[in-house]
Amino acid sequence: MKKLLLLIALIPSLLFSQTKEELIAQVKANPKDVNSIRLIQKVGGYYPDYQELAGLFKQLDKKVRKTNDGKLFERYLDALKNTMPGKKSPSITQLDLNGEPYALSDLKGKYVLIDFWASWCPPCREENPKLVKTYAEFKDKNFEILGVSFDREFDAWAKAVKDDNLTWKHVSDLQGWNNSAGQAYGVKAIPQNILVDPEGKVVARNLHGEDLNNKLREILK
């Protein structure tokens, strides 16, 4: 019975799931529909590309772009643009697990991976063991991780950090998806990360697993 209920719950997502190409085609076919903004958001997914999303947004009717949804999406695009490689990383100051303010600037002089995650996010928790191995390899080579949690409950956040053995620095404002750092960096899906150099400039976005390790081996010679 439980399996049947799970299947029934999955049917809508299976029926209505769309490929990226289908989403883009739907956006282009409906430039006067405000719902196309949400479709553009889906196009970005975990790996948003500013140029791609901005290009699709510009194809929408001007009236759609001037709606409240359109203005909010423009802010999101600005955040993506402002965190492209080569850009100065936006500041982050939130409370750590001890309730003390901690800032990204406290790690200036090191390469820093800003890791956006949450205790309730299964893909994030699956990613954590890989990050633990990465940290073990590079933590003594001028590299640090700053975990930024999208949790709302302190206890759940703290437990996940302990359970997953995440020994790097962690901060959060406990505002969930409204996390101020997440908004500044244009994070609409997690896990996501931003790699920042010792001067605070963005190096890359969303490097995971061996892609991240290879990049770190390249720059931490």
Side-chain angles (χ1 to χ4, degrees):
M1 185 63 179
K2 288 183 179 179
K3 290 183 179 179
L4 178 60
L5 290 174
L6 178 60
L7 178 60
I8 292 172
L10 288 174
I11 285 175
S13 62
L14 293 173
L15 289 175
F16 296 105
S17 61
Q18 295 172 285
T19 65
K20 182 176 179 178
E21 291 72 22
E22 289 171 337
L23 288 169
I24 291 174
Q26 192 171 344
V27 169
K28 291 181 176 180
N30 297 279
K32 295 184 178 182
D33 187 349
V34 70
N35 290 318
S36 291
I37 295 173
R38 295 183 180 85
L39 296 179
I40 297 174
Q41 179 71 67
K42 289 184 179 180
V43 169
Y46 284 99
Y47 302 96
D49 180 283
Y50 167 74
Q51 299 291 354
E52 179 178 52
L53 302 189
L56 288 171
F57 185 67
K58 287 180 180 178
Q59 294 182 44
L60 298 183
D61 187 84
K62 185 176 181 180
K63 290 183 179 179
V64 172
R65 288 185 275 121
K66 292 299 181 181
T67 62
N68 286 335
D69 285 347
K71 292 175 182 177
L72 287 173
F73 193 75
E74 276 192 308
R75 292 182 195 173
Y76 167 62
L77 289 176
D78 286 342
L80 290 179
K81 183 179 180 180
N82 292 334
T83 53
M84 292 176 65
K87 296 284 189 177
K88 181 72 174 179
S89 57
S91 62
I92 298 175
T93 301
Q94 295 184 5
L95 298 183
D96 64 16
L97 287 162
N98 295 317
E100 299 293 333
Y102 194 84
L104 173 61
S105 59
D106 291 333
L107 295 171
K108 188 174 182 179
K110 296 187 176 185
Y111 282 92
V112 180
L113 185 75
I114 307 169
D115 177 46
F116 296 96
W117 74 296
S119 67
W120 44 260
C121 165
C124 302
R125 303 297 294 272
E126 291 173 8
E127 187 74 15
N128 281 343
K130 300 175 186 176
L131 274 182
V132 169
K133 291 182 180 179
T134 295
Y135 190 61
E137 180 176 349
F138 297 103
K139 66 179 180 178
D140 296 323
K141 300 178 181 179
N142 205 38
F143 171 74
E144 275 295 339
I145 299 175
L146 179 64
V148 179
S149 171
F150 278 24
D151 277 280
R152 285 186 174 273
E153 299 296 330
F154 177 87
D155 289 344
W157 170 37
K159 185 177 186 300
V161 169
K162 182 178 179 180
D163 289 351
D164 291 3
N165 195 31
L166 311 181
T167 57
W168 48 87
K169 198 69 178 183
H170 295 270
V171 297
S172 183
D173 58 13
L174 297 179
Q175 295 300 308
W177 286 108
N178 292 320
N179 183 286
S180 59
Q183 292 181 344
Y185 282 81
V187 178
K188 296 288 188 181
I190 52 176
Q192 283 197 51
N193 62 52
I194 302 281
L195 182 62
V196 176
D197 73 10
E199 286 72 47
K201 290 185 178 180
V202 175
V203 175
R205 188 183 192 109
N206 285 334
L207 293 176
H208 300 280
E210 277 307 299
D211 288 336
L212 173 60
N213 294 338
N214 289 335
K215 185 66 176 180
L216 291 175
R217 292 182 188 116
E218 173 191 331
I219 62 180
L220 295 175
K221 291 179 181 179

Short mmCIF file of all heavy atoms in Angstrom, two decimals, residues 85-145:
data_model
loop_
_atom_site.label_atom_id
_atom_site.label_comp_id
_atom_site.label_asym_id
_atom_site.label_seq_id
_atom_site.Cartn_x
_atom_site.Cartn_y
_atom_site.Cartn_z
N PRO A 85 32.35 34.65 -12.28
CA PRO A 85 33.81 34.60 -12.10
C PRO A 85 34.46 35.94 -12.42
O PRO A 85 34.15 36.58 -13.43
CB PRO A 85 34.24 33.52 -13.09
CG PRO A 85 33.06 32.59 -13.13
CD PRO A 85 31.86 33.49 -13.06
N GLY A 86 35.36 36.36 -11.53
CA GLY A 86 36.04 37.63 -11.70
C GLY A 86 35.43 38.76 -10.91
O GLY A 86 36.08 39.79 -10.67
N LYS A 87 34.18 38.59 -10.47
CA LYS A 87 33.49 39.62 -9.69
C LYS A 87 33.91 39.56 -8.22
O LYS A 87 34.30 38.51 -7.71
CB LYS A 87 31.98 39.44 -9.79
CG LYS A 87 31.41 39.61 -11.19
CD LYS A 87 31.34 41.07 -11.58
CE LYS A 87 30.56 41.25 -12.89
NZ LYS A 87 30.42 42.68 -13.26
N LYS A 88 33.83 40.69 -7.55
CA LYS A 88 34.09 40.75 -6.12
C LYS A 88 32.93 40.08 -5.40
O LYS A 88 31.76 40.42 -5.60
CB LYS A 88 34.21 42.20 -5.66
CG LYS A 88 34.52 42.38 -4.18
CD LYS A 88 35.93 41.99 -3.84
CE LYS A 88 36.25 42.31 -2.39
NZ LYS A 88 37.62 41.90 -2.02
N SER A 89 33.24 39.11 -4.54
CA SER A 89 32.17 38.37 -3.85
C SER A 89 31.44 39.26 -2.85
O SER A 89 32.08 40.02 -2.10
CB SER A 89 32.76 37.16 -3.13
OG SER A 89 33.78 37.56 -2.22
N PRO A 90 30.10 39.21 -2.83
CA PRO A 90 29.34 39.98 -1.83
C PRO A 90 29.71 39.57 -0.41
O PRO A 90 30.06 38.41 -0.16
CB PRO A 90 27.88 39.60 -2.15
CG PRO A 90 27.89 39.16 -3.58
CD PRO A 90 29.22 38.48 -3.76
N SER A 91 29.63 40.51 0.50
CA SER A 91 29.97 40.22 1.88
C SER A 91 28.94 39.30 2.52
O SER A 91 27.77 39.28 2.11
CB SER A 91 30.07 41.52 2.69
OG SER A 91 28.82 42.18 2.72
N ILE A 92 29.39 38.52 3.48
CA ILE A 92 28.51 37.65 4.26
C ILE A 92 28.89 37.81 5.73
O ILE A 92 30.06 37.65 6.09
CB ILE A 92 28.68 36.17 3.88
CG1 ILE A 92 28.28 35.92 2.42
CG2 ILE A 92 27.84 35.27 4.80
CD1 ILE A 92 28.55 34.50 1.95
N THR A 93 27.91 38.12 6.57
CA THR A 93 28.12 38.11 8.01
C THR A 93 26.86 37.55 8.65
O THR A 93 25.79 38.15 8.55
CB THR A 93 28.38 39.52 8.58
OG1 THR A 93 29.56 40.07 7.97
CG2 THR A 93 28.62 39.44 10.09
N GLN A 94 26.98 36.37 9.25
CA GLN A 94 25.87 35.73 9.93
C GLN A 94 26.38 35.09 11.22
O GLN A 94 27.59 35.10 11.49
CB GLN A 94 25.19 34.71 9.01
CG GLN A 94 24.54 35.36 7.78
CD GLN A 94 23.78 34.39 6.90
OE1 GLN A 94 23.64 33.20 7.20
NE2 GLN A 94 23.27 34.89 5.78
N LEU A 95 25.47 34.54 12.01
CA LEU A 95 25.87 33.93 13.27
C LEU A 95 26.36 32.50 13.06
O LEU A 95 25.78 31.74 12.28
CB LEU A 95 24.71 33.93 14.26
CG LEU A 95 24.16 35.30 14.67
CD1 LEU A 95 23.07 35.14 15.72
CD2 LEU A 95 25.26 36.21 15.18
N ASP A 96 27.43 32.14 13.80
CA ASP A 96 27.93 30.78 13.73
C ASP A 96 27.19 29.91 14.74
O ASP A 96 26.23 30.35 15.39
CB ASP A 96 29.44 30.74 13.93
CG ASP A 96 29.88 31.22 15.32
OD1 ASP A 96 29.04 31.29 16.24
OD2 ASP A 96 31.08 31.51 15.48
N LEU A 97 27.63 28.68 14.90
CA LEU A 97 26.95 27.74 15.79
C LEU A 97 27.10 28.10 17.27
O LEU A 97 26.39 27.57 18.11
CB LEU A 97 27.47 26.32 15.54
CG LEU A 97 26.98 25.68 14.23
CD1 LEU A 97 27.86 24.50 13.85
CD2 LEU A 97 25.53 25.27 14.33
N ASN A 98 28.01 29.01 17.57
CA ASN A 98 28.16 29.50 18.94
C ASN A 98 27.39 30.79 19.18
O ASN A 98 27.49 31.38 20.26
CB ASN A 98 29.65 29.72 19.25
CG ASN A 98 30.44 28.43 19.23
OD1 ASN A 98 29.99 27.42 19.76
ND2 ASN A 98 31.61 28.46 18.61
N GLY A 99 26.64 31.22 18.15
CA GLY A 99 25.87 32.45 18.28
C GLY A 99 26.68 33.71 18.12
O GLY A 99 26.23 34.81 18.46
N GLU A 100 27.89 33.58 17.56
CA GLU A 100 28.77 34.72 17.36
C GLU A 100 28.79 35.13 15.88
O GLU A 100 28.76 34.27 15.00
CB GLU A 100 30.20 34.38 17.81
CG GLU A 100 30.32 34.03 19.29
CD GLU A 100 30.04 35.20 20.20
OE1 GLU A 100 30.25 36.36 19.76
OE2 GLU A 100 29.60 34.97 21.35
N PRO A 101 28.86 36.44 15.60
CA PRO A 101 28.95 36.89 14.21
C PRO A 101 30.24 36.39 13.55
O PRO A 101 31.31 36.44 14.17
CB PRO A 101 28.96 38.42 14.32
CG PRO A 101 28.41 38.72 15.67
CD PRO A 101 28.83 37.57 16.54
N TYR A 102 30.10 35.91 12.34
CA TYR A 102 31.28 35.46 11.59
C TYR A 102 31.10 35.93 10.15
O TYR A 102 30.00 35.85 9.59
CB TYR A 102 31.42 33.95 11.64
CG TYR A 102 32.77 33.47 11.17
CD1 TYR A 102 33.85 33.44 12.04
CD2 TYR A 102 32.97 33.06 9.86
CE1 TYR A 102 35.11 33.01 11.62
CE2 TYR A 102 34.21 32.64 9.42
CZ TYR A 102 35.28 32.61 10.31
OH TYR A 102 36.51 32.20 9.88
N ALA A 103 32.19 36.41 9.56
CA ALA A 103 32.11 37.00 8.22
C ALA A 103 33.00 36.26 7.22
O ALA A 103 34.03 35.69 7.59
CB ALA A 103 32.52 38.47 8.28
N LEU A 104 32.59 36.30 5.97
CA LEU A 104 33.42 35.76 4.89
C LEU A 104 34.78 36.45 4.89
O LEU A 104 35.81 35.82 4.65
CB LEU A 104 32.71 35.96 3.55
CG LEU A 104 33.50 35.61 2.29
CD1 LEU A 104 33.89 34.13 2.28
CD2 LEU A 104 32.68 35.95 1.03
N SER A 105 34.79 37.74 5.21
CA SER A 105 36.04 38.50 5.22
C SER A 105 37.02 38.00 6.28
O SER A 105 38.23 38.26 6.20
CB SER A 105 35.76 39.99 5.44
OG SER A 105 35.07 40.19 6.66
N ASP A 106 36.53 37.25 7.28
CA ASP A 106 37.42 36.67 8.28
C ASP A 106 38.34 35.62 7.68
O ASP A 106 39.35 35.24 8.30
CB ASP A 106 36.61 36.04 9.43
CG ASP A 106 35.88 37.08 10.27
OD1 ASP A 106 36.37 38.23 10.34
OD2 ASP A 106 34.83 36.75 10.85
N LEU A 107 37.99 35.15 6.49
CA LEU A 107 38.80 34.13 5.81
C LEU A 107 39.61 34.73 4.66
O LEU A 107 40.17 33.98 3.85
CB LEU A 107 37.89 33.02 5.29
CG LEU A 107 37.17 32.19 6.37
CD1 LEU A 107 36.14 31.28 5.73
CD2 LEU A 107 38.17 31.39 7.19
N LYS A 108 39.69 36.06 4.62
CA LYS A 108 40.44 36.71 3.55
C LYS A 108 41.89 36.24 3.56
O LYS A 108 42.49 36.05 4.62
CB LYS A 108 40.40 38.23 3.72
CG LYS A 108 41.00 38.98 2.55
CD LYS A 108 40.82 40.48 2.69
CE LYS A 108 41.39 41.22 1.48
NZ LYS A 108 41.22 42.69 1.59
N GLY A 109 42.43 36.03 2.38
CA GLY A 109 43.79 35.51 2.26
C GLY A 109 43.82 34.03 1.96
O GLY A 109 44.88 33.47 1.69
N LYS A 110 42.63 33.39 1.97
CA LYS A 110 42.52 31.98 1.65
C LYS A 110 41.54 31.77 0.50
O LYS A 110 40.66 32.59 0.26
CB LYS A 110 42.06 31.18 2.87
CG LYS A 110 43.03 31.20 4.03
CD LYS A 110 42.56 30.26 5.13
CE LYS A 110 43.60 30.21 6.26
NZ LYS A 110 43.23 29.22 7.29
N TYR A 111 41.68 30.65 -0.18
CA TYR A 111 40.63 30.22 -1.10
C TYR A 111 39.49 29.68 -0.25
O TYR A 111 39.72 28.89 0.68
CB TYR A 111 41.14 29.14 -2.05
CG TYR A 111 41.98 29.68 -3.17
CD1 TYR A 111 43.37 29.77 -3.06
CD2 TYR A 111 41.39 30.13 -4.36
CE1 TYR A 111 44.15 30.28 -4.09
CE2 TYR A 111 42.16 30.64 -5.40
CZ TYR A 111 43.53 30.71 -5.25
OH TYR A 111 44.29 31.22 -6.27
N VAL A 112 38.28 30.13 -0.54
CA VAL A 112 37.12 29.75 0.28
C VAL A 112 36.02 29.19 -0.62
O VAL A 112 35.64 29.82 -1.61
CB VAL A 112 36.57 30.94 1.08
CG1 VAL A 112 35.37 30.50 1.92
CG2 VAL A 112 37.65 31.54 1.97
N LEU A 113 35.51 28.03 -0.25
CA LEU A 113 34.33 27.48 -0.91
C LEU A 113 33.13 27.85 -0.04
O LEU A 113 33.01 27.39 1.09
CB LEU A 113 34.42 25.97 -1.05
CG LEU A 113 33.27 25.34 -1.85
CD1 LEU A 113 33.46 25.61 -3.34
CD2 LEU A 113 33.17 23.85 -1.59
N ILE A 114 32.26 28.72 -0.56
CA ILE A 114 31.02 29.06 0.14
C ILE A 114 29.99 28.00 -0.25
O ILE A 114 29.58 27.92 -1.40
CB ILE A 114 30.51 30.45 -0.25
CG1 ILE A 114 31.62 31.50 -0.09
CG2 ILE A 114 29.29 30.84 0.58
CD1 ILE A 114 31.28 32.85 -0.69
N ASP A 115 29.62 27.19 0.72
CA ASP A 115 28.75 26.04 0.46
C ASP A 115 27.34 26.32 1.00
O ASP A 115 27.14 26.42 2.20
CB ASP A 115 29.33 24.80 1.13
CG ASP A 115 28.44 23.57 0.96
OD1 ASP A 115 27.99 23.34 -0.18
OD2 ASP A 115 28.20 22.85 1.94
N PHE A 116 26.38 26.45 0.10
CA PHE A 116 24.99 26.68 0.47
C PHE A 116 24.28 25.34 0.57
O PHE A 116 24.24 24.57 -0.39
CB PHE A 116 24.29 27.57 -0.57
CG PHE A 116 24.87 28.96 -0.66
CD1 PHE A 116 25.83 29.27 -1.62
CD2 PHE A 116 24.46 29.96 0.21
CE1 PHE A 116 26.37 30.55 -1.71
CE2 PHE A 116 25.00 31.25 0.13
CZ PHE A 116 25.95 31.53 -0.83
N TRP A 117 23.70 25.06 1.74
CA TRP A 117 23.12 23.75 1.99
C TRP A 117 22.06 23.85 3.08
O TRP A 117 21.77 24.95 3.57
CB TRP A 117 24.22 22.78 2.42
CG TRP A 117 24.70 23.02 3.83
CD1 TRP A 117 25.34 24.13 4.30
CD2 TRP A 117 24.51 22.15 4.96
NE1 TRP A 117 25.58 24.01 5.66
CE2 TRP A 117 25.09 22.80 6.08
CE3 TRP A 117 23.93 20.90 5.12
CZ2 TRP A 117 25.08 22.23 7.36
CZ3 TRP A 117 23.94 20.33 6.39
CH2 TRP A 117 24.51 20.99 7.49
N ALA A 118 21.48 22.72 3.49
CA ALA A 118 20.54 22.67 4.61
C ALA A 118 20.44 21.24 5.11
O ALA A 118 20.65 20.28 4.36
CB ALA A 118 19.16 23.18 4.20
N SER A 119 20.11 21.10 6.38
CA SER A 119 19.99 19.77 6.98
C SER A 119 18.88 18.95 6.34
O SER A 119 18.95 17.73 6.27
CB SER A 119 19.75 19.88 8.49
OG SER A 119 18.48 20.45 8.75
N TRP A 120 17.82 19.63 5.86
CA TRP A 120 16.65 18.95 5.31
C TRP A 120 16.78 18.63 3.82
O TRP A 120 15.85 18.10 3.20
CB TRP A 120 15.40 19.81 5.52
CG TRP A 120 15.58 21.27 5.20
CD1 TRP A 120 15.80 22.29 6.08
CD2 TRP A 120 15.59 21.88 3.90
NE1 TRP A 120 15.93 23.49 5.42
CE2 TRP A 120 15.81 23.26 4.08
CE3 TRP A 120 15.43 21.38 2.61
CZ2 TRP A 120 15.88 24.16 3.01
CZ3 TRP A 120 15.50 22.27 1.54
CH2 TRP A 120 15.72 23.64 1.76
N CYS A 121 17.92 18.95 3.24
CA CYS A 121 18.13 18.80 1.79
C CYS A 121 18.89 17.51 1.48
O CYS A 121 20.10 17.44 1.69
CB CYS A 121 18.91 20.02 1.29
SG CYS A 121 19.65 19.86 -0.35
N PRO A 122 18.20 16.44 1.00
CA PRO A 122 18.87 15.16 0.72
C PRO A 122 20.08 15.27 -0.20
O PRO A 122 21.13 14.68 0.09
CB PRO A 122 17.75 14.31 0.12
CG PRO A 122 16.50 14.85 0.73
CD PRO A 122 16.72 16.34 0.80
N PRO A 123 19.99 16.02 -1.33
CA PRO A 123 21.18 16.12 -2.19
C PRO A 123 22.36 16.77 -1.48
O PRO A 123 23.52 16.44 -1.76
CB PRO A 123 20.70 16.98 -3.37
CG PRO A 123 19.22 16.79 -3.40
CD PRO A 123 18.82 16.68 -1.96
N CYS A 124 22.06 17.71 -0.57
CA CYS A 124 23.14 18.35 0.21
C CYS A 124 23.82 17.34 1.11
O CYS A 124 25.06 17.28 1.19
CB CYS A 124 22.58 19.49 1.06
SG CYS A 124 21.71 20.78 0.16
N ARG A 125 23.01 16.53 1.79
CA ARG A 125 23.56 15.55 2.71
C ARG A 125 24.36 14.48 1.95
O ARG A 125 25.36 13.96 2.46
CB ARG A 125 22.44 14.90 3.53
CG ARG A 125 21.57 15.88 4.32
CD ARG A 125 22.36 16.65 5.37
NE ARG A 125 22.84 15.80 6.43
CZ ARG A 125 22.14 15.50 7.53
NH1 ARG A 125 20.91 16.00 7.69
NH2 ARG A 125 22.65 14.74 8.48
N GLU A 126 23.94 14.17 0.74
CA GLU A 126 24.67 13.21 -0.09
C GLU A 126 26.01 13.80 -0.54
O GLU A 126 26.99 13.07 -0.74
CB GLU A 126 23.84 12.83 -1.31
CG GLU A 126 22.61 11.99 -0.98
CD GLU A 126 21.71 11.77 -2.17
OE1 GLU A 126 22.12 12.14 -3.30
OE2 GLU A 126 20.59 11.24 -1.99
N GLU A 127 26.04 15.11 -0.71
CA GLU A 127 27.26 15.79 -1.14
C GLU A 127 28.27 15.92 -0.01
O GLU A 127 29.49 15.99 -0.25
CB GLU A 127 26.89 17.19 -1.66
CG GLU A 127 28.02 17.97 -2.30
CD GLU A 127 28.40 17.46 -3.68
OE1 GLU A 127 27.62 16.70 -4.28
OE2 GLU A 127 29.49 17.83 -4.14
N ASN A 128 27.80 15.95 1.24
CA ASN A 128 28.68 16.24 2.37
C ASN A 128 29.88 15.29 2.51
O ASN A 128 30.99 15.76 2.80
CB ASN A 128 27.87 16.27 3.67
CG ASN A 128 27.13 17.58 3.83
OD1 ASN A 128 27.44 18.57 3.17
ND2 ASN A 128 26.13 17.60 4.70
N PRO A 129 29.72 13.97 2.35
CA PRO A 129 30.90 13.09 2.46
C PRO A 129 32.00 13.45 1.46
O PRO A 129 33.20 13.34 1.77
CB PRO A 129 30.33 11.70 2.20
CG PRO A 129 28.89 11.80 2.59
CD PRO A 129 28.48 13.19 2.18
N LYS A 130 31.62 13.90 0.27
CA LYS A 130 32.61 14.32 -0.73
C LYS A 130 33.34 15.57 -0.25
O LYS A 130 34.56 15.70 -0.42
CB LYS A 130 31.93 14.58 -2.08
CG LYS A 130 31.21 13.38 -2.67
CD LYS A 130 30.48 13.77 -3.94
CE LYS A 130 29.63 12.62 -4.47
NZ LYS A 130 28.85 13.02 -5.67
N LEU A 131 32.57 16.50 0.35
CA LEU A 131 33.19 17.72 0.85
C LEU A 131 34.13 17.42 2.01
O LEU A 131 35.18 18.08 2.14
CB LEU A 131 32.11 18.71 1.31
CG LEU A 131 31.51 19.64 0.26
CD1 LEU A 131 30.51 20.59 0.90
CD2 LEU A 131 32.60 20.44 -0.45
N VAL A 132 33.77 16.46 2.84
CA VAL A 132 34.63 16.07 3.96
C VAL A 132 35.99 15.59 3.42
O VAL A 132 37.05 15.96 3.95
CB VAL A 132 33.97 14.98 4.81
CG1 VAL A 132 34.97 14.38 5.80
CG2 VAL A 132 32.77 15.56 5.57
N LYS A 133 35.96 14.79 2.37
CA LYS A 133 37.21 14.29 1.77
C LYS A 133 38.00 15.44 1.13
O LYS A 133 39.24 15.49 1.24
CB LYS A 133 36.89 13.22 0.73
CG LYS A 133 36.36 11.92 1.32
CD LYS A 133 36.10 10.89 0.24
CE LYS A 133 35.57 9.59 0.83
NZ LYS A 133 35.28 8.57 -0.21
N THR A 134 37.29 16.34 0.46
CA THR A 134 37.96 17.49 -0.15
C THR A 134 38.64 18.35 0.91
O THR A 134 39.79 18.77 0.75
CB THR A 134 36.94 18.34 -0.94
OG1 THR A 134 36.43 17.57 -2.03
CG2 THR A 134 37.58 19.61 -1.49
N TYR A 135 37.92 18.59 1.99
CA TYR A 135 38.47 19.42 3.07
C TYR A 135 39.70 18.77 3.70
O TYR A 135 40.69 19.45 3.99
CB TYR A 135 37.40 19.66 4.13
CG TYR A 135 37.78 20.70 5.15
CD1 TYR A 135 38.05 22.01 4.78
CD2 TYR A 135 37.84 20.38 6.51
CE1 TYR A 135 38.40 22.97 5.71
CE2 TYR A 135 38.19 21.33 7.45
CZ TYR A 135 38.46 22.63 7.05
OH TYR A 135 38.80 23.58 7.99
N ALA A 136 39.65 17.47 3.87
CA ALA A 136 40.78 16.76 4.46
C ALA A 136 42.03 16.89 3.58
O ALA A 136 43.15 17.00 4.08
CB ALA A 136 40.43 15.29 4.66
N GLU A 137 41.83 16.91 2.27
CA GLU A 137 42.96 16.99 1.34
C GLU A 137 43.55 18.39 1.24
O GLU A 137 44.76 18.56 1.11
CB GLU A 137 42.54 16.51 -0.06
CG GLU A 137 43.67 16.57 -1.08
CD GLU A 137 43.28 16.00 -2.44
OE1 GLU A 137 42.21 15.36 -2.55
OE2 GLU A 137 44.07 16.19 -3.39
N PHE A 138 42.70 19.41 1.35
CA PHE A 138 43.17 20.77 1.03
C PHE A 138 43.17 21.76 2.20
O PHE A 138 43.63 22.89 2.03
CB PHE A 138 42.31 21.35 -0.10
CG PHE A 138 42.41 20.59 -1.39
CD1 PHE A 138 41.39 19.73 -1.77
CD2 PHE A 138 43.51 20.71 -2.21
CE1 PHE A 138 41.46 19.02 -2.96
CE2 PHE A 138 43.61 20.01 -3.40
CZ PHE A 138 42.58 19.15 -3.77
N LYS A 139 42.70 21.37 3.38
CA LYS A 139 42.56 22.34 4.46
C LYS A 139 43.88 22.93 4.93
O LYS A 139 43.90 24.03 5.49
CB LYS A 139 41.84 21.69 5.66
CG LYS A 139 42.60 20.57 6.33
CD LYS A 139 41.82 20.03 7.52
CE LYS A 139 42.58 18.91 8.21
NZ LYS A 139 41.84 18.41 9.40
N ASP A 140 44.99 22.24 4.69
CA ASP A 140 46.29 22.76 5.08
C ASP A 140 47.02 23.42 3.92
O ASP A 140 48.23 23.67 3.99
CB ASP A 140 47.15 21.62 5.66
CG ASP A 140 46.56 21.06 6.95
OD1 ASP A 140 46.00 21.84 7.74
OD2 ASP A 140 46.64 19.83 7.14
N LYS A 141 46.27 23.71 2.85
CA LYS A 141 46.87 24.31 1.65
C LYS A 141 46.20 25.62 1.30
O LYS A 141 45.91 25.91 0.14
CB LYS A 141 46.78 23.32 0.48
CG LYS A 141 47.49 22.00 0.75
CD LYS A 141 47.33 21.04 -0.42
CE LYS A 141 48.02 19.71 -0.13
NZ LYS A 141 47.85 18.75 -1.25
N ASN A 142 45.93 26.43 2.32
CA ASN A 142 45.34 27.75 2.14
C ASN A 142 43.91 27.67 1.59
O ASN A 142 43.49 28.49 0.79
CB ASN A 142 46.19 28.62 1.21
CG ASN A 142 45.99 30.11 1.47
OD1 ASN A 142 45.85 30.54 2.61
ND2 ASN A 142 45.96 30.90 0.41
N PHE A 143 43.17 26.66 2.06
CA PHE A 143 41.79 26.46 1.61
C PHE A 143 40.87 26.28 2.81
O PHE A 143 41.21 25.61 3.78
CB PHE A 143 41.71 25.22 0.73
CG PHE A 143 40.31 24.80 0.38
CD1 PHE A 143 39.56 25.51 -0.54
CD2 PHE A 143 39.74 23.68 0.98
CE1 PHE A 143 38.25 25.12 -0.86
CE2 PHE A 143 38.44 23.27 0.67
CZ PHE A 143 37.70 24.01 -0.25
N GLU A 144 39.69 26.91 2.72
CA GLU A 144 38.68 26.76 3.76
C GLU A 144 37.30 26.63 3.13
O GLU A 144 37.11 26.96 1.95
CB GLU A 144 38.68 27.96 4.72
CG GLU A 144 39.68 27.86 5.86
CD GLU A 144 39.36 26.71 6.80
OE1 GLU A 144 38.20 26.24 6.84
OE2 GLU A 144 40.29 26.26 7.50
N ILE A 145 36.37 26.15 3.92
CA ILE A 145 34.96 26.08 3.51
C ILE A 145 34.15 26.91 4.49
O ILE A 145 34.39 26.87 5.70
CB ILE A 145 34.44 24.63 3.51
CG1 ILE A 145 35.24 23.76 2.52
CG2 ILE A 145 32.94 24.59 3.15
CD1 ILE A 145 34.85 22.28 2.54
#
